[in-house]
Amino acid sequence: MKILVLSDLHAVLVDEVDTHEHSRLIVDDDGSGEFGDGLIGYIQSIDSKLDYIICCGDIANRGQSRSFVAGWKFLNRLSFSFPGSKLICVPGNHDHQSRPDTTEDPTGFSPKHQLQFCEPSFPFDCFQKNTHFWAWNWAIDSLADCNVLSLNTSAYHGYSDEYKHGRVSSETINQICDFIESDEYVPKPINILVCHHHPQRMEHAYEDYDGEQMSGGQSLVNALQEIDVGPWLVIHGHKHFACVSSTFSQAQTPPIVFSAGSTSAKLYEGIKDKTSNQIYLLDIDISKTDQKERVVGKFKTYEYTMANGWLPSKSENLPANSGFGSSKTAIDLISDIKSKLVDEPFLQEIDLIEINEELGYFTPREFVRLKTRIEKHNLIAEIDESHQKIIEIGYGNAH
Amino acid sequence: MHTNIPSISESFNAKTTSTEELCNTFITNDFFDQLACPNNSIMIGPRGSGKTTLMRMLEVESLEIWNRENSDKYRDIIDFSGVFIPTDRYWKKQYEKIQEVINSSNITQVERERMDKALYLLDVLFIYHVIEQFLSVVNYRCSRIVNKKNKFRSVDISKEDEMELVLELSSLYGCTPKINSIRSLFSSIVIKKQDISKSANRLIKGSDETCDLDEISLIEILNSSVSIVNNYLNESHGKWAFLFDELELAPDLIIQPLVDEMRGGHKDIIYKLALSPYHQDISITHNTDSSMKEQDLNYINLTGLNDKEGSKFAKQLCTSLFVRKGLFENIENYFESPKPTNIDKDFKELISKDEYFRLYLEDRNLIRDEYRANDSLLRKVKFIAHLRNYKRDENNQIKRRRRPADYYAGFDHICKAVEYNPRMLIGLMNKFIPIAKEGKVSLAAQLNSLDEYFQSFKALLSTIALDSNNSKFNNIYDFIDEIANYFNNEIYGVEFKSEPKGSFIINDKINEGLLEIVGYALNAGALISVDTDIGTFNKKKEGLRNVCRLSYMFSHSYGLLMTRQKEMDLDELIYSTALNKANVNIVKLFKNTNPKQYNLELK
């Protein structure tokens, strides 16, 4: 199952020049612009078949309604470029009119009004689903091989300081769980939660206190696990910092959290050396996911730089090729390697097929742990970092 | 309207082309057959003549993946493992720079020692470069990972044997791989090269560096390497061919031993060297006790292809390019052909304008009522007459700013104009293909493209600076221009000449400065050496006799003929032009040892 993930576009309009400092996605009212068109062309060049296109919100910049409409049109153009793909989107804080403002506003002050009444309809093209989403702040889509829970974590924005973080209320959590437990919900190999805010703090991103996460997020992921309808993949944005992690869990197969970086916002000072403007191609192995009841898949990261345009990522957050869902740890693979080295003086790619296959499902951080342990166990390896695999490994000449 | 407008600089450079692309576009020819023979070879040709392509096609990997017609045949007959050795221009420049410093009069003893060490390190760097290429081929041959459909020179070696082989080789090379695998050994050589390069640079910049590398010789290292590898691969007579490209860029001290080694070297080693026509200090054939020219090695001269060979090659190459783009007809059908020259019209018109031509015919009793193309007495001058007539108006004055005569167009002449140079042919055809997809390539389009190429070539020649006391001569193009104008005048001057001069002889009396200029022009392809089975010469002039002509690339611009013309001595040519007393020399960029910039006076 192939999923294109992009997030935090922060689209700005070509005729609003003073906003251009915030984003690379500069578009006209029809959602066209050089960066966006180039991005569509690039994605077409790397993969022509996508099952889903997921955008985690902040399509607009600073609640600008025109920029939201233009950004949403851009996303629809992207979706049209991949016939057969389904566009899944949730709003972010920048899409809502989050902060009380006394300046002229033809819509009156309503955080969600422009989102609820826009053309094409947002986020679903189905009236019933849209109604449900805007009424209850969530909706579930039952698709071919997955269930997608779209959640509006900015639903309460517009009151006091709610705009500073996300929220899912306990009532919403109960509603969602009731629905999932009902006969209406058809279990699928994988469940995907798409939301804007992160379900748990990400203090490692800015190395600072983080109060922006989804309030109630931990409660939500705990509840979803307790229902036990299969593995969960959480895809979110907001922090502009890309990483792969897992959530709090009382079981041994915690949900995978894919924190998407920003596709086109100019990055904040605190993170611009740690990550970049990125898009992601996730390839979920449905069969393995179903078999192991954990989300198993690989992903590719592409980043944008001024010098080179779009290319496979060279950033650690996130790297060009990595994965999630391996049931093995770094030390398990070290053990496998050492077992093989009992009979062989060294191992080459042809000897490492299974090990490299498993390594492909390691998260980036687990791969780093593997490299550290290679050294600790007096092994020497030639590693293809960009493809997260071992080319050759053996005991060093000092062994 | 053509939406794809290829750039004149879009061309094929075999050095940077992927092996797959190289194999997909390669056309076999007689030169390849000669080069594929299991004997030492020296191949001479200017830029773009195909030397690198031919060399690279002898690499093990190329022969493995090559999958076109005849590829199986070559895999069967080639029984050596080719190791391609590219040369880095940077080395030569570093060498020259160091030599200039050493030769400067105010160098201190400490600086001299430092520069000597740096020179030594550059030699060593080259040796490790060769080792690196050798190991790359050994690794490929022994690879258990690469999927080799043809298994060309592929060997199975156990990991235990591989470890032992690596131990022996690493002892020979003075390095320690992290793992005892060939791949790891290769990596260690790459790292060693980087370290040596850094040390050499530090020495050049004035730092002190210790130099603890043992004395090594390229020949000895290669001999030992081949013996060891053959032993472990169980190939007691396994042949290895070391394919040195652009040899004129490599350090001289390294290359002469290679050339000398071609007489009775290691039984399992073949050397194939590619050179430009002029190379300053390498003596290949003027070694007094050399019998090597005929017996020990095979000479392959890529310059001055005759029309039959060149045309055949050009057709094959261009056809393959057109076919790749979906154009399957006979290649010539895509090109408009010029109308045959009308000898009767040309002669009659010229007679009426040109008194000297009329007198020429009268003196030889060749005035006719009608002039026929098959008249053997007239064939000799028909093209001269055609061009002369084209250039002159009714008042016998030279016409200005006319487009070149159609004579220079047509598929055959276009190919001939670029001297059947593969790189230029590919560049030109890439321009014609989009046009051919919509119809025939018109004469005007052909001549325009040829002229664009000429302008590009002219720009290239203009980058080779000359020093002269005549401000007219600033670069090699100015030199060529003067000669071309002289030859132009031979055809279009007042007097009609049935045998206008169009080539010149250089001999051992030529001064060094002029020899160097001619050499650079040959290497760039502006001059073509004809009538020599050697096709090469160097600064050591003993026994030199070489006939050169201008490249046909200049013909359309200067209105010259596209056949070889009468010779004259270069001295006489120089004397008859503004080059006389100009005292021209190639500018040596690194002669300026003054590191300071010139002050810019601001007023």
Side-chain angles (χ1 to χ4, degrees):
Chain A
M1 183 168 79
K2 284 202 177 154
I3 307 173
L4 172 71
V5 174
L6 50 164
S7 184
D8 294 85
L9 309 182
H10 290 269
V12 293
L13 287 155
V14 64
D15 55 357
E16 292 180 1
V17 176
D18 53 351
T19 62
H20 290 184
E21 59 174 335
H22 300 298
S23 178
R24 300 188 196 283
L25 185 62
I26 300 171
V27 288
D28 60 21
D29 285 298
D30 289 326
S32 282
E34 189 182 337
F35 181 88
D37 294 349
L39 174 56
I40 294 175
Y42 183 74
I43 298 168
Q44 284 175 320
S45 73
I46 52 175
D47 210 315
S48 55
K49 191 181 174 325
L50 297 171
D51 296 308
Y52 304 105
I53 298 174
I54 292 179
C55 178
C56 308
D58 275 4
I59 297 162
N61 192 52
R62 298 189 174 183
Q64 292 287 314
S65 50
R66 264 181 79 208
S67 83
F68 173 78
V69 173
W72 179 228
K73 283 186 177 169
F74 162 73
L75 282 169
N76 277 277
R77 284 181 55 238
L78 170 61
S79 179
F80 289 149
S81 305
F82 293 91
S85 68
K86 180 169 173 59
L87 178 61
I88 298 166
C89 207
V90 291
N93 53 302
H94 275 251
D95 302 316
H96 292 72
Q97 296 284 329
S98 299
R99 310 184 195 199
D101 196 326
T102 54
T103 58
E104 223 177 279
D105 186 346
T107 66
F109 179 67
S110 166
K112 313 184 234 198
H113 183 87
Q114 71 206 20
L115 307 176
Q116 293 167 303
F117 294 94
C118 77
E119 198 54 46
S121 63
F122 176 83
F124 298 100
D125 54 12
C126 166
F127 180 78
Q128 275 75 27
K129 285 217 167 65
N130 255 1
T131 305
H132 193 286
F133 182 82
W134 291 115
W136 304 114
N137 307 323
W138 64 275
I140 286 181
D141 233 332
S142 179
L143 301 170
D145 41 18
C146 62
N147 285 312
V148 179
L149 167 58
S150 299
L151 180 66
N152 185 1
T153 56
S154 310
Y156 302 93
H157 286 201
Y159 290 87
S160 68
D161 62 352
E162 277 295 304
Y163 69 90
K164 289 183 180 175
H165 55 80
R167 183 182 290 282
V168 59
S169 70
S170 46
E171 290 85 352
T172 303
I173 295 172
N174 290 338
Q175 261 192 348
I176 291 169
C177 291
D178 287 343
F179 178 82
I180 292 174
E181 284 175 315
S182 75
D183 292 335
E184 275 186 81
Y185 189 83
V186 179
K188 296 283 164 73
I190 180 174
N191 306 286
I192 303 177
L193 165 61
V194 181
C195 54
H196 182 65
H197 291 84
H198 39 305
Q200 57 203 10
R201 291 202 172 112
M202 285 176 67
E203 282 163 356
H204 59 285
Y206 292 82
E207 290 170 19
D208 200 357
Y209 171 74
D210 179 20
E212 294 177 12
Q213 78 281 6
M214 188 199 310
S215 180
Q218 191 256 313
S219 188
L220 171 64
V221 295
N222 186 62
L224 292 175
Q225 290 176 81
E226 294 217 321
I227 296 171
D228 197 14
V229 287
W232 282 90
L233 170 65
V234 181
I235 304 178
H236 76 87
H238 186 66
K239 293 298 281 184
H240 297 195
F241 183 85
C243 68
V244 176
S245 57
S246 50
T247 66
F248 159 86
S249 178
Q250 298 180 74
Q252 286 179 214
T253 53
I256 296 289
V257 180
F258 192 93
S259 306
S262 168
T263 298
S264 43
K266 301 268 176 83
L267 297 177
Y268 306 124
E269 207 51 50
I271 54 163
K272 70 180 192 195
D273 293 330
K274 293 190 202 174
T275 188
S276 51
N277 288 128
Q278 297 175 355
I279 59 170
Y280 314 91
L281 268 177
L282 274 57
D283 192 353
I284 309 292
D285 190 325
I286 291 292
S287 155
K288 281 195 169 117
T289 297
D290 197 19
Q291 218 174 55
K292 295 179 184 246
E293 291 192 347
R294 63 194 307 139
V295 180
V296 181
K298 298 182 183 177
F299 65 88
K300 291 181 189 289
T301 309
Y302 301 92
E303 68 179 358
Y304 181 86
T305 59
M306 285 292 286
N308 301 313
W310 287 102
L311 281 175
S313 170
K314 289 192 175 137
S315 172
E316 279 182 2
N317 302 303
L318 287 162
N321 284 279
S322 195
F324 39 77
S326 172
S327 48
K328 292 203 169 194
T329 62
I331 200 64
D332 290 334
L333 286 196
I334 295 289
S335 184
D336 291 345
I337 287 167
K338 286 170 86 167
S339 301
K340 284 179 179 276
L341 282 173
V342 167
D343 299 322
E344 301 266 27
F346 55 88
L347 303 173
Q348 294 176 308
E349 268 188 272
I350 204 161
D351 310 307
L352 296 164
I353 292 175
E354 282 172 13
I355 287 173
N356 277 332
E357 174 67 20
E358 195 62 36
L359 206 46
Y361 297 115
F362 268 38
T363 62
R365 198 55 62 204
E366 194 63 18
F367 183 64
V368 169
R369 291 182 78 241
L370 176 82
K371 288 190 289 181
T372 318
R373 274 142 192 80
I374 283 173
E375 216 180 301
K376 266 191 188 160
H377 288 259
N378 297 320
L379 293 165
I380 304 279
E382 189 184 330
I383 290 176
D384 180 352
E385 301 268 357
S386 64
H387 292 93
Q388 203 164 281
K389 65 178 182 178
I390 300 171
I391 306 290
E392 198 170 81
I393 191 166
Y395 287 105
N397 265 320
H399 181 74
Chain B
M1 179 167 133
H2 308 301
T3 52
N4 175 27
I5 303 172
S7 155
I8 195 74
S9 59
E10 243 179 50
S11 189
F12 180 88
N13 191 323
K15 207 167 174 181
T16 52
T17 305
S18 72
T19 307
E20 290 77 7
E21 179 69 11
L22 195 77
C23 294
N24 281 340
T25 53
F26 180 62
I27 307 284
T28 56
N29 55 36
D30 291 343
F31 295 134
F32 186 63
D33 288 347
Q34 290 177 57
L35 196 64
C37 290
N39 44 19
N40 297 318
S41 308
I42 292 186
M43 184 164 55
I44 309 293
R47 311 164 43 101
S49 54
K51 303 190 295 292
T52 302
T53 298
L54 291 171
M55 288 285 215
R56 282 194 62 195
M57 281 308 298
L58 288 181
E59 281 189 295
V60 172
E61 188 178 353
S62 303
L63 286 163
E64 165 60 38
I65 68 176
W66 186 26
N67 197 25
R68 311 280 278 192
E69 60 178 49
N70 291 339
S71 52
D72 282 337
K73 170 192 137 189
Y74 284 99
R75 274 191 282 274
D76 287 339
I77 60 176
I78 293 173
D79 67 346
F80 54 76
S81 302
V83 179
F84 178 73
I85 321 269
T87 304
D88 187 347
R89 246 158 234 286
Y90 182 57
W91 274 321
K92 185 93 171 175
K93 300 264 184 268
Q94 277 187 307
Y95 254 79
E96 285 175 352
K97 177 70 183 153
I98 295 170
Q99 289 288 5
E100 290 290 345
V101 172
I102 288 175
N103 293 337
S104 66
S105 54
N106 53 0
I107 187 172
T108 65
Q109 183 57 30
V110 169
E111 281 170 344
R112 182 179 294 281
E113 280 171 13
R114 212 180 278 140
M115 290 301 120
D116 283 340
K117 268 190 212 169
L119 268 183
Y120 171 69
L121 286 180
L122 288 184
D123 288 346
V124 171
L125 188 60
F126 185 80
I127 294 171
Y128 276 100
H129 173 66
V130 177
I131 293 171
E132 182 193 352
Q133 307 308 314
F134 173 67
L135 284 177
S136 171
V137 174
V138 173
N139 190 38
Y140 187 82
R141 289 188 61 196
C142 299
S143 174
R144 299 171 193 93
I145 299 160
V146 175
N147 183 15
K148 296 177 216 169
K149 184 180 148 220
N150 295 300
K151 301 221 181 295
F152 177 71
R153 304 196 70 69
S154 183
V155 286
D156 289 325
I157 179 174
S158 70
K159 285 185 185 174
E160 287 71 24
D161 283 349
E162 183 175 341
M163 281 185 70
E164 284 190 29
L165 168 62
V166 166
L167 280 168
E168 282 224 37
L169 288 177
S170 47
S171 169
L172 178 66
Y173 302 148
C175 62
T176 309
K178 289 182 177 166
I179 303 173
N180 286 331
S181 68
I182 298 171
R183 188 191 178 98
S184 186
L185 178 60
F186 176 86
S187 300
S188 71
I189 294 290
V190 170
I191 292 168
K192 184 144 189 151
K193 266 182 67 182
Q194 286 170 356
D195 292 342
I196 295 172
S197 181
K198 282 179 196 163
S199 294
N201 282 334
R202 283 194 285 266
L203 282 165
I204 293 168
K205 285 178 184 164
S207 306
D208 281 316
E209 281 279 314
T210 52
C211 184
D212 56 1
L213 291 167
D214 292 334
E215 287 269 344
I216 52 173
S217 126
L218 176 63
I219 304 299
E220 282 170 20
I221 282 270
L222 290 182
N223 290 349
S224 300
S225 300
V226 162
S227 298
I228 292 171
V229 167
N230 279 353
N231 180 37
Y232 277 92
L233 301 190
N234 292 318
E235 291 182 349
S236 52
H237 300 296
K239 300 256 181 277
W240 292 80
F242 290 92
L243 317 164
F244 289 88
D245 193 24
E246 291 188 296
L247 212 61
E248 65 278 3
L249 301 177
D252 302 335
L253 287 174
I254 296 263
I255 301 310
Q256 194 61 57
L258 272 181
V259 172
D260 295 339
E261 185 69 6
M262 286 167 124
R263 302 179 55 218
H266 191 290
K267 62 180 176 56
D268 295 330
I269 296 181
I270 301 164
Y271 292 99
K272 294 189 185 284
L273 317 180
L275 278 169
S276 288
Y278 175 70
H279 34 275
Q280 286 187 316
D281 294 303
I282 303 165
S283 172
I284 291 177
T285 56
H286 300 285
N287 187 330
T288 50
D289 62 345
S290 169
S291 60
M292 59 204 279
K293 192 164 78 73
E294 280 86 33
Q295 280 125 40
D296 299 314
L297 61 87
N298 175 24
Y299 261 109
I300 305 167
N301 186 358
L302 301 184
T303 60
L305 267 178
N306 68 43
D307 284 355
K308 191 172 164 203
E309 290 163 350
S311 181
K312 179 181 166 198
F313 171 71
K315 272 195 184 110
Q316 281 180 308
L317 176 61
C318 298
T319 300
S320 84
L321 293 169
F322 271 54
V323 161
R324 283 178 89 197
K325 298 290 185 183
L327 299 166
F328 300 103
E329 287 181 37
N330 184 337
I331 185 84
E332 284 155 315
N333 292 352
Y334 292 106
F335 291 82
E336 187 186 349
S337 297
K339 294 194 184 73
T341 52
N342 185 335
I343 189 174
D344 189 50
K345 176 174 175 288
D346 283 333
F347 270 47
K348 286 176 177 166
E349 282 178 6
L350 194 59
I351 287 169
S352 70
K353 304 174 201 178
D354 185 347
E355 190 196 335
Y356 280 93
F357 180 63
R358 183 179 57 76
L359 282 171
Y360 169 82
L361 292 177
E362 277 179 1
D363 287 348
R364 288 154 187 80
N365 221 10
L366 293 173
I367 299 287
R368 308 259 192 274
D369 292 331
E370 194 185 342
Y371 297 94
R372 292 175 193 275
N374 54 9
D375 190 332
S376 57
L377 295 170
L378 303 175
R379 243 188 307 197
K380 185 173 135 179
V381 297
K382 84 172 184 182
F383 288 118
I384 303 172
H386 172 73
L387 290 173
R388 214 172 146 90
N389 183 41
Y390 181 79
K391 260 309 207 161
R392 285 169 179 273
D393 63 20
E394 305 77 28
N395 301 317
N396 202 26
Q397 298 302 308
I398 301 285
K399 292 177 190 170
R400 298 285 175 211
R401 298 194 195 97
R402 284 274 320 248
R403 88 163 201 182
D406 288 351
Y407 163 78
Y408 297 105
F411 178 75
D412 283 335
H413 268 180
I414 292 289
C415 293
K416 191 170 182 180
V418 300
E419 302 286 347
Y420 310 110
N421 180 301
R423 188 185 292 173
M424 288 201 195
L425 281 171
I426 292 170
L428 266 180
M429 293 302 132
N430 282 338
K431 286 184 73 67
F432 291 143
I433 284 167
I435 306 172
K437 283 187 174 177
E438 298 189 20
K440 277 202 184 209
V441 184
S442 66
L443 297 178
Q446 292 173 43
L447 290 169
N448 278 344
S449 294
L450 186 63
D451 199 60
E452 278 181 26
Y453 237 92
F454 165 71
Q455 295 299 334
S456 182
F457 191 41
K458 177 179 166 183
L460 170 74
L461 295 175
S462 302
T463 63
I464 308 172
L466 291 182
D467 193 31
S468 160
N469 53 20
N470 184 335
S471 61
K472 193 178 173 191
F473 301 109
N474 297 302
N475 53 60
I476 281 221
Y477 178 74
D478 296 334
F479 176 83
I480 297 292
D481 178 63
E482 188 71 6
I483 295 175
N485 281 322
Y486 181 88
F487 291 153
N488 169 286
N489 193 55
E490 286 282 294
I491 299 172
Y492 302 101
V494 170
E495 202 182 310
F496 177 84
K497 295 182 183 176
S498 60
E499 288 185 290
K501 298 202 185 72
S503 58
F504 58 84
I505 305 163
I506 56 170
N507 54 38
D508 52 13
K509 294 187 184 42
I510 188 172
N511 78 51
E512 267 190 29
L514 208 51
L515 177 65
E516 203 171 13
I517 294 171
V518 168
Y520 272 68
L522 280 167
N523 287 355
L527 291 176
I528 305 293
S529 187
V530 293
D531 246 7
T532 167
D533 55 352
I534 298 170
T536 176
F537 56 93
N538 64 7
K539 248 179 9 190
K540 299 159 194 168
K541 297 178 284 180
E542 193 184 306
L544 174 65
R545 188 191 185 277
N546 205 305
V547 178
C548 299
R549 60 167 172 81
L550 290 178
S551 165
Y552 292 136
M553 176 61 82
F554 299 98
S555 298
H556 74 283
S557 185
Y558 291 92
L560 304 177
L561 290 161
M562 292 189 68
T563 47
R564 184 175 161 186
Q565 299 302 298
K566 192 172 173 189
E567 301 157 11
M568 65 188 295
D569 272 333
L570 180 61
D571 283 343
E572 187 194 335
L573 173 58
I574 299 293
Y575 187 75
S576 311
T577 65
L579 286 164
N580 187 30
K581 296 182 185 164
N583 199 21
V584 278
N585 286 289
I586 293 280
V587 168
K588 294 285 194 213
L589 291 172
F590 289 106
K591 261 205 154 60
N592 180 13
T593 55
N594 182 357
K596 293 182 188 169
Q597 290 194 336
Y598 292 109
N599 283 331
L600 178 64
E601 298 286 342
L602 297 173
K603 291 185 181 168

